[in-house]
Amino acid sequence: MLKKCSNPDCTAPKGLCATHASPEYENCSNWKQKNTKSAIGSTKQRSSKSKELSWTGVELQPTDIGIVSHRGKPSIIGIIGAANAGKTSYLGMLYTLLYNGKRFKNWSFVGSYTLAGWEKLAMYLRLDPNGKVDFPEPTPSNPDFYCLLHLALRNGHDFYDLIFADTSGEVFTQWSKNVDDINVENARWVYKNSSSFIFFVDCEALIKNMGREKQRIVQLAAQVAKDLGGRPITIVWSKADLINDIRENIKLAVERSLDNYFPEADVIEISNYSKDDPDKLCHENNLNVTEFLLDKLNTPKKSNLTPDIGNTSDYFFRYKGSYGSK
Ligand SMILES: Nc1nc2c(ncn2[C@@H]2O[C@H](COP(=O)(O)OP(=O)(O)O)[C@@H](O)[C@H]2O)c(=O)[nH]1
Ligand SMILES: [Mg+2]
């Protein structure tokens, strides 16, 4: 059967999609309507299509990272958390805020090689004519699905290339149980290659599943902490519009465990629902999540080296200054 788009007025050339402004025509509702059996989010199909053009503006795959490496090695922020924790919506909201003129304090947005990918996520967060928001579709849970989104930022004269690595929460939960599982390749890649992490704690899941969710978070945290090796991590309490409904003892237990595993981490509450304008949880904190990591990534590490001079007889090392001496 010849597969077709159901929109006779679509002006996009063959292989492209006007609605998505990209080659992702199979994700367009007009395409799906006509071809109900078409696969969504199959990475193999996505990569072969994006290979037709060297650069399309859609999300990158690990093999595309060279495209954003001309200035230097980009920093990868690994997005970690269970399924449904609000990871993909966070990225959509971050782009929405930048697009609408909100700014990081120390970093200016100077561009992106994945504008079509960002736009696609942000589109879900726009209000529909009924005043409602459609959140992004669930992220595919196949082990070869990667959604790498690029931001170029500037701090004074310094340019900085950042990549957010989003994969499926199911895969990360599976990885926390067995890091060698053949079905968790993308989680392994994100963990190995990221310079910093955002760790999601889903307030809604803690309200609904209490101890079971706490256990899941703690197990994931334990695995992330194992080979962290000083890489910065920000803990995000997502869907924090609901945070006061979490049972106090469950919340305390999660906080204590995370503090134990990540004593240096910043902890931030975020929400995609704003109550005010500006709104702390939505407008300020969503930006802070990334800004705190950026600042840490760009602070030179303190050296713990102190010369061990012991009881040296060398007068140069024994000299303590002339102040106070006669
Ligand atoms: N209450 C509340 N729900 C949210 C918020 N953000 C997202 N959600 C819900 O969480 C669901 C999962 O979000 P998603 O970003 O796809 O999660 P992911 O699987 O971690 O990428 C969405 O479909 C929304 O229903 C929020 O700020 N507050
Ligand atoms: Mg997702």
Side-chain angles (χ1 to χ4, degrees):
M1 183 185 83
L2 188 63
K3 294 197 169 180
K4 281 185 171 175
C5 172
S6 67
N7 176 8
D9 299 324
C10 181
T11 51
K14 190 166 178 253
L16 292 172
C17 170
T19 315
H20 283 250
S22 78
E24 295 230 81
Y25 58 88
E26 287 182 23
N27 286 341
C28 176
S29 54
N30 290 326
W31 175 269
K32 284 185 210 160
Q33 214 173 313
K34 191 93 180 180
N35 309 282
T36 41
K37 283 190 192 150
S38 67
I40 304 163
S42 154
T43 318
K44 294 220 165 83
Q45 286 188 1
R46 283 161 14 110
S47 3
S48 67
K49 255 182 279 144
S50 47
K51 279 195 181 103
E52 286 165 17
L53 298 167
S54 60
W55 171 65
T56 59
V58 301
E59 60 273 23
L60 303 173
Q61 300 300 303
T63 47
D64 302 327
I65 285 184
I67 296 174
V68 295
S69 304
H70 54 280
R71 262 193 288 258
K73 195 171 170 217
S75 267
I76 300 178
I77 297 185
I79 312 280
I80 296 187
N84 231 28
K87 302 181 298 300
T88 307
S89 324
Y90 167 72
L91 294 173
M93 180 52 76
L94 178 66
Y95 178 77
T96 303
L97 292 172
L98 294 173
Y99 182 85
N100 284 296
K102 307 272 181 204
R103 306 178 67 147
F104 294 121
K105 291 181 193 84
N106 299 322
W107 301 85
S108 323
F109 171 85
V110 287
S112 168
Y113 274 98
T114 57
L115 279 177
W118 286 111
E119 272 292 325
K120 193 173 67 178
L121 296 188
M123 213 168 57
Y124 289 107
L125 298 181
R126 286 188 195 135
L127 292 176
D128 68 17
N130 304 318
K132 292 213 168 130
V133 164
D134 268 339
F135 281 95
E137 287 165 16
T139 306
S141 59
N142 30 323
D144 60 353
F145 180 89
Y146 298 84
C147 173
L148 306 181
L149 292 164
H150 168 249
L151 276 190
L153 300 166
R154 197 176 70 179
N155 182 351
H157 294 295
D158 297 331
F159 285 88
Y160 201 68
D161 287 292
L162 203 58
I163 291 177
F164 293 85
D166 188 22
T167 52
S168 125
E170 281 104 348
V171 178
F172 257 109
T173 300
Q174 194 54 31
W175 172 85
S176 74
K177 294 177 193 158
N178 176 10
V179 293
D180 297 320
D181 191 320
I182 51 163
N183 293 317
V184 300
E185 186 49 43
N186 44 4
R188 261 196 302 273
W189 186 91
V190 170
Y191 188 61
K192 179 164 172 256
N193 290 289
S194 297
S195 342
S196 62
F197 298 96
I198 304 176
F199 186 94
F200 276 74
V201 176
D202 180 351
C203 294
E204 190 183 28
L206 277 172
I207 296 163
K208 283 192 188 148
N209 306 324
M210 296 192 285
R212 208 149 31 95
E213 182 61 18
K214 187 203 94 183
Q215 194 44 43
R216 190 157 67 157
I217 292 167
V218 172
Q219 183 163 16
L220 187 56
Q223 201 59 264
V224 172
K226 248 185 199 161
D227 286 318
L228 197 59
R231 290 178 285 177
I233 185 160
T234 297
I235 296 165
V236 161
W237 288 71
S238 61
K239 312 184 194 174
D241 40 286
L242 307 172
I243 201 162
N244 294 329
D245 297 336
I246 304 175
R247 273 181 44 180
E248 199 51 39
N249 60 333
I250 300 265
K251 184 161 175 274
L252 261 177
V254 172
E255 278 168 346
R256 276 204 199 110
S257 296
L258 294 179
D259 189 42
N260 182 33
Y261 285 121
F262 312 120
E264 313 241 312
D266 289 301
V267 182
I268 307 184
E269 295 170 14
I270 61 166
S271 171
N272 292 313
Y273 292 116
S274 56
K275 287 189 192 138
D276 296 311
D277 190 10
D279 182 276
K280 172 119 181 92
L281 296 185
C282 181
H283 301 142
E284 278 182 40
N285 288 3
N286 275 307
L287 287 170
N288 283 342
V289 171
T290 293
E291 177 133 42
F292 287 179
L293 287 179
L294 278 167
D295 288 346
K296 280 194 176 158
L297 284 168
N298 286 278
T299 307
K301 288 208 177 77
K302 281 194 208 122
S303 159
N304 290 325
L305 282 178
T306 44
D308 180 14
I309 53 176
N311 293 323
T312 178
S313 58
D314 185 322
Y315 284 109
F316 178 77
F317 284 119
R318 285 171 63 189
Y319 180 67
K320 297 284 193 307
S322 60
Y323 180 76
S325 64
K326 291 192 181 160

